Amino acid sequence: MYLWLVAAGLSLIFGVMRVLNFAHGSLYMLGAYFAWVVVRVTGSFWLALLIGPAVVAGVGWAMEFGFLRRVYSAPEAFQLLLTFAFVLMFDDAVKLVFGPVYQSPPTPAALSGAFVLGRSILPTYHLFILCVGALVGLGLWFFLEKTSFGLVIRATAADREMARALGVRSSRLFTWVFILGAALAGLGGALSMPVRAISPGMGEFIIIEAFVVVVLGGLGSLRGAFVGALLIGLLHAYGLLFMPVFELALGYLAMAAVLIVRPWGLFGARES
Amino acid sequence: MAPRRGTTRRRFLQSTALAAAGLALPRTGFAASPDLKLKKPIKIGCQCILSGPLGGYGEFMRKGATLAMEEVNGQGGIGGSPIELNFRDEELKVDVGVKNARYFVEDWGADFLVGIDSSGVAMAVGEIMPSLNKVLIVTHGATEKYNEDLVFKRHIRQCFRVCVPVYQDGIASALVAKDLPVKRWATISPDYEYGHTSWKMFRAYLKRFKPDVEFVGESFAKFGTVDFSSHISKVMGLNPEGIFSTEWGGEAVTMVKQAKLFKVFENTKAFMIGMGSAMDVLQGLGADYPDGTWASGRYYFGYPDSPENKKFVEAFRKRWNSYPSYPSETSYTAIHALKKAVEKAKSIETEKVIEALEGLELDRPAGKCVIRKEDHQAVYAVPWGQIKHDPKFPMPILTNLKVFTTDEYYRKPPFAPVEG
């Protein structure tokens, strides 16, 4: 589900803006760190879930407004270079400010229980994450399908030139989409904070998985990101049970298989 | 504006500053070291993991080595030459480690090499030491193949190690486990050399000590795992009574947190983590570290109760405002061992320093230690203990320490193969 949140933001940004945001994993990391600071200061996990992603959204705004919008017209390699530069800067900034030692606040007491079903155990925290993920999914769906702003986003994603011709101010729209995507990554990070050690560089691991998910599901498709994240999760779990030697490769094999059959991904739009 | 001459100038200033610091400080009552008349600093190339989720280890290593350097230079350096350290990130990658070693010796002009966290990197760098022909002192990488195969069987004499090898994780742990009320063991461990070799050793030796034990399952997690749910479910589905793990660093923190969510600590009788007493794990888990978890490392700051250890812990806390972790002790010891060996050899020539290091006795913070001649392995004992929360300390500590003599758990030449 963390993967879904990160992948959703990544896919959204790519779908609308055609920017592959390498720094998306770093935004996830920043979400975790900011949330951790809030926990340290206020002691409240719930407040951290709100403030962490909000601050990351602010960072997203600065990234888009200050830097990214200057390279929209440049070749894609420049965008990649720019976002990759952010990865390096964020990693080092975090190391400088927080040190390289892992941090992790205790799991909130209300969520540290577990449901026991026969011999299998479902931790309350996992259930909580499932609910948050589903809620975010529903919220996004409602926002994109049922609101006028969502309509504009979908229109721009479908045909940028036409949307612009119809009077959509794409620069403002891009800023908002980037902020939303950043907040999603930040939320993923904030949610992971109590159950995963936070450390500089933690974003680099998730960004690769998120790319696999997004490519598997279809670039730009939120439904694809959701299904892709589920698929990768299941593959890892069952892969470990039945063929642990191949576990590492399974995700990539699945991606390759899907790309051979459907080069545009499971739910992606076929390029004309 | 003065012309910029980049790194050469900066490096020059750095080394003169170091030299000046070494000369300016009073030479206290230490045995006068013979003047080697090198007219240059002694350069030590250090590599360790400085990035990513395990980067805390390298940071502790850097602090230990730096403290030792400051002490040695404060005493006038080695034979009149100050020490100069250079740190590089090994990234736990074999190719990066080898490249670093080559850079240190061939480009930077290192006289000695110190460090290395990964067993795989230690083996790869060990392999090329004959061609570089400098002394390498490993401070963390723990595979027994380093001392048993590279040094003892293949006579790569440049390789030394000052930390306990996997004997601590795989044999001392079995000595603890044989007295626990657990018959069914399973593991969640890292999917590389260290994880596999320690689990293999644990099984072989525990079977010897307690023939009726069973090993019901294993799940090996790849480097960089952040979600251990599948591993935990898989292993717990086999209904083990005890979990043995050699996860370390941030991955140990994450694994324990998630095991707690899955109620593993309620549903098993024992949980053992070979590197669970490393300071970064103690600090990272904090209040979430379950009481009673068995943990060890390559050194624990609370053992032994000796003046050397007290002095080290105090100096470390004063310098870095933190308790030392085990890579701090091993790297601190490596630098001091080099000083002692060079002074004994009265030379920095590799062959002479090797001879001086063989059989060298050290009063290190972790206790009395001998560098075994046959396999160049430092022999000293480190305790296992159980996690306890004590309000006197800013992190959980170890209690109920179990210390075994090195005779009980160090493998000895000619190193019969581990069966199992």
Side-chain angles (χ1 to χ4, degrees):
Chain A
M1 277 295 155
Y2 314 96
L3 199 53
W4 143 241
L5 290 172
V6 175
L10 189 66
S11 195
L12 191 69
I13 290 173
F14 182 82
V16 176
M17 302 164 65
R18 303 280 156 209
V19 171
L20 261 185
N21 182 19
F22 247 115
H24 208 67
S26 303
L27 294 173
Y28 161 87
M29 169 185 77
L30 289 179
Y33 270 100
F34 291 142
W36 175 72
V37 171
V38 176
V39 170
R40 281 277 292 257
V41 174
T42 67
S44 165
F45 170 69
W46 307 104
L47 213 55
L49 280 194
L50 281 180
I51 299 179
V55 181
V56 177
V59 173
W61 172 80
M63 264 177 84
E64 202 280 340
F65 192 77
F67 299 90
L68 268 177
R69 62 171 46 191
R70 285 158 220 282
V71 295
Y72 286 143
S73 49
E76 270 166 16
F78 283 86
Q79 300 172 359
L80 279 182
L81 277 179
L82 181 63
T83 55
F84 188 65
F86 274 107
V87 174
L88 301 178
M89 284 193 290
F90 286 149
D91 269 1
D92 277 350
V94 160
K95 211 187 251 183
L96 218 61
V97 176
F98 298 100
V101 173
Y102 337 109
Q103 323 273 2
S104 183
T107 314
L111 297 173
S112 55
F115 294 94
V116 182
L117 307 154
R119 289 211 20 225
S120 54
I121 288 176
L122 179 64
T124 316
Y125 198 83
H126 284 46
L127 203 66
F128 168 69
I129 299 288
L130 275 174
C131 293
V132 174
L135 275 179
V136 169
L138 272 177
L140 276 177
W141 173 82
F142 181 82
F143 171 68
L144 289 177
E145 299 288 328
K146 303 288 174 192
T147 66
S148 58
F149 194 59
L151 186 72
V152 174
I153 292 180
R154 280 189 295 138
T156 313
D159 192 330
R160 199 195 299 207
E161 297 303 311
M162 184 55 84
R164 198 172 287 161
L166 291 172
V168 173
R169 285 177 58 188
S170 58
S171 70
R172 224 181 62 187
L173 180 82
F174 282 10
T175 311
W176 279 110
V177 167
F178 199 84
I179 287 175
L180 182 61
L184 285 174
L187 182 63
L191 283 170
S192 78
M193 153 201 69
V195 292
R196 294 178 178 185
I198 308 173
S199 64
M202 66 191 267
E204 286 154 37
F205 289 102
I206 198 147
I207 189 70
I208 296 173
E209 290 223 304
F211 269 126
V212 173
V213 163
V214 168
V215 171
L216 191 79
L219 279 163
S221 159
L222 282 180
R223 199 156 28 131
F226 188 80
V227 174
L230 274 182
L231 209 65
I232 293 290
L234 289 175
L235 271 177
H236 278 307
Y238 285 99
L240 260 184
L241 266 180
F242 298 115
M243 38 177 153
V245 182
F246 287 114
E247 187 237 339
L248 191 59
L250 276 177
Y252 302 105
L253 287 178
M255 181 171 84
V258 166
L259 288 183
I260 290 168
V261 184
R262 287 175 68 91
W264 50 91
L266 287 175
F267 293 90
R270 188 197 292 248
E271 297 277 336
S272 46
Chain B
M1 214 177 171
R4 292 184 57 162
R5 273 188 284 156
T7 47
T8 31
R9 188 180 143 200
R10 199 181 313 145
R11 194 168 293 159
F12 171 74
L13 285 174
Q14 236 171 26
S15 42
T16 30
L18 277 174
L23 293 174
L25 281 159
R27 296 183 188 199
T28 39
F30 291 87
S33 80
D35 195 346
L36 296 174
K37 299 196 174 63
L38 291 175
K39 296 199 176 72
K40 75 170 199 73
I42 292 178
K43 291 178 159 189
I44 304 176
C46 306
Q47 56 173 320
C48 47
I49 171 75
L50 284 163
S51 57
L54 302 168
Y57 268 78
E59 200 52 31
F60 272 114
M61 188 269 179
R62 194 180 61 76
K63 287 175 173 168
T66 305
L67 178 66
M69 175 196 80
E70 289 166 358
E71 284 181 10
V72 169
N73 287 350
Q75 298 160 13
I78 302 178
S81 291
I83 304 179
E84 200 179 313
L85 302 183
N86 189 350
F87 291 90
R88 285 175 86 86
D89 186 356
E90 81 178 51
E91 299 174 35
L92 303 182
K93 289 180 189 148
V94 167
D95 56 330
V96 176
V98 168
K99 207 170 68 191
N100 284 345
R102 288 201 183 283
Y103 164 81
F104 278 142
V105 174
E106 287 161 4
D107 297 340
W108 184 61
D111 300 298
F112 302 103
L113 300 180
V114 161
I116 305 187
D117 286 307
S118 145
S119 284
V121 175
M123 290 301 287
V125 175
E127 293 269 355
I128 64 160
M129 288 323 288
S131 69
L132 296 178
N133 198 26
K134 298 285 174 197
V135 167
L136 162 71
I137 301 190
V138 167
T139 59
H140 187 194
T143 177
E144 83 289 356
K145 297 182 184 74
Y146 177 78
N147 56 312
E148 295 183 6
D149 293 357
L150 289 191
V151 182
F152 181 74
K153 299 207 174 98
R154 292 173 49 196
H155 307 292
I156 301 184
R157 299 181 63 233
Q158 292 85 352
C159 296
F160 287 84
R161 173 162 55 202
V162 291
C163 62
V164 209
V166 72
Y167 307 157
Q168 182 73 26
D169 319 77
I171 305 179
S173 57
L175 286 165
V176 173
K178 77 174 167 39
D179 296 328
L180 299 175
V182 174
K183 280 193 181 155
R184 297 167 59 81
W185 286 94
T187 192
I188 300 173
S189 285
D191 196 6
Y192 41 79
E193 171 69 25
Y194 166 64
H196 287 278
T197 197
S198 40
W199 173 236
K200 184 178 167 198
M201 228 175 234
F202 178 76
R203 282 183 308 169
Y205 280 85
L206 186 54
K207 198 88 195 166
R208 200 178 294 174
F209 301 142
K210 191 176 174 181
D212 62 340
V213 287
E214 280 178 71
F215 301 99
V216 295
E218 51 189 38
S219 199
F220 289 99
K222 63 177 198 263
F223 171 58
T225 298
V226 289
D227 188 352
F228 285 88
S229 312
S230 320
H231 296 280
I232 295 166
S233 306
K234 177 184 168 187
V235 164
M236 289 307 287
L238 302 162
N239 205 15
E241 297 169 327
I243 304 282
F244 169 88
S245 177
T246 47
E247 291 294 342
W248 54 290
E251 293 177 10
V253 172
T254 301
M255 195 262 306
V256 168
K257 285 187 151 248
Q258 296 176 1
K260 254 187 108 170
L261 289 179
F262 278 91
K263 305 290 166 203
V264 172
F265 291 87
E266 280 94 327
N267 294 320
T268 52
K269 294 179 189 156
F271 203 110
M272 303 184 80
I273 310 178
M275 303 224 242
S277 75
M279 196 51 56
D280 54 334
V281 178
L282 296 175
Q283 288 172 343
L285 276 167
D288 261 355
Y289 215 150
D291 274 323
T293 308
W294 285 96
S296 187
R298 313 276 172 253
Y299 156 80
Y300 172 63
F301 76 91
Y303 180 90
D305 190 12
S306 68
E308 286 84 14
N309 193 28
K310 285 207 184 89
K311 185 181 138 238
F312 169 67
V313 174
E314 261 161 46
F316 193 91
R317 290 185 64 192
K318 202 171 143 207
R319 179 68 177 83
W320 304 110
N321 194 25
S322 145
Y323 283 90
S325 186
Y326 67 75
S328 313
E329 195 273 348
T330 55
S331 58
Y332 176 89
T333 297
I335 304 287
H336 279 292
L338 280 174
K339 174 179 162 74
K340 207 167 168 184
V342 169
E343 286 175 355
K344 189 171 147 198
K346 301 189 181 62
S347 163
I348 58 167
E349 274 172 52
T350 302
E351 188 50 41
K352 289 184 179 155
V353 175
I354 290 175
E355 271 169 33
L357 277 170
E358 286 180 337
L360 191 71
E361 290 179 19
L362 297 165
D363 273 322
R364 61 193 285 179
K368 286 205 183 306
C369 143
V370 183
I371 298 179
R372 204 154 55 177
K373 192 174 187 317
E374 297 89 338
D375 63 343
H376 294 182
Q377 172 60 50
V379 180
Y380 67 106
V382 182
W384 273 81
Q386 286 187 288
I387 294 297
K388 183 188 158 200
H389 293 272
D390 183 334
K392 287 203 293 282
F393 291 92
M395 70 278 162
I397 55 157
L398 287 189
T399 67
N400 190 19
L401 297 185
K402 294 257 183 275
V403 191
F404 306 99
T405 63
T406 54
D407 238 19
E408 283 175 277
Y409 76 94
Y410 271 60
R411 280 164 54 76
K412 295 173 197 73
F415 304 111
V418 182
E419 69 284 356

